[in-house]
Amino acid sequence: MSFEDEWAAAKAAVAMRLNQADGTGGSTPAKGSADYVVEDDDLGDIGHAAYGLFNGLQSGGKHAGAASETAAGSLKGDGFDAGAALGEVNKTWETQVKTLLQACAHISNHLNYTKKSAKADDDWIGAQLRIIGPVAPGAEGAVPASRISQLFR
């Protein structure tokens, strides 16, 4: 096979791959596989779940703290090493609960902010793209490309 024949075959193979509508090698992701695509409803659901976890953990995570501390003191006073260990476990538990509470609050607050911020950005862009005043009969009312390019700098 000559070089020209090999070159033509290689070009044909590349052209076939580039022309695939749903090939896996293209730059367009398959439906449902795109990164960073989150709907507003999803953000709201996640934020609500984090808020609910925060509220439940606020009381539920601390309900045994006082009893555990009392038991640890009593065991320690009676000379059992388990008392000191139980006290240490209780302190670690309280630290972990506080950390999880902070994480839940952060997630809930951040998602609320993200949702509001994205809506504000969308509203602003929508307002910028609207044509002010009446559109002439027969005109399509489209925003000129020069105006659109100003919004994406």
Side-chain angles (χ1 to χ4, degrees):
M1 181 180 268
S2 71
F3 172 77
E4 287 80 17
D5 293 336
E6 287 182 47
W7 181 246
K11 287 191 329 186
V14 169
M16 292 291 285
R17 278 187 289 172
L18 292 176
N19 288 332
Q20 287 180 349
D22 59 351
T24 58
S27 62
T28 304
K31 185 172 176 62
S33 68
D35 289 338
Y36 303 109
V37 175
V38 179
E39 303 296 328
D40 282 346
D41 291 344
D42 294 334
L43 292 177
D45 290 346
I46 294 168
H48 182 72
Y51 181 73
L53 181 59
F54 178 87
N55 286 335
L57 191 60
Q58 184 90 5
S59 60
K62 299 177 182 179
H63 78 279
S68 296
E69 199 58 43
T70 302
S74 178
L75 287 169
K76 196 173 182 181
D78 290 340
F80 290 102
D81 290 339
L86 180 58
E88 190 63 32
V89 166
N90 192 43
K91 286 179 189 173
T92 302
W93 175 259
E94 288 175 0
T95 301
Q96 296 299 322
V97 168
K98 288 177 186 175
T99 301
L100 187 53
L101 283 170
Q102 289 175 349
C104 289
H106 179 72
I107 290 167
S108 179
N109 292 339
H110 180 72
L111 290 175
N112 285 338
Y113 171 79
T114 300
K115 189 174 178 180
K116 288 176 187 173
S117 175
K119 177 156 178 24
D121 289 346
D122 288 346
D123 291 345
W124 181 84
I125 290 171
Q128 296 300 312
L129 290 175
R130 265 188 228 107
I131 291 182
I132 299 174
V135 177
E140 65 181 61
V143 175
S146 60
R147 179 78 175 111
I148 292 172
S149 68
Q150 291 173 353
L151 299 173
F152 296 100
R153 290 186 182 187

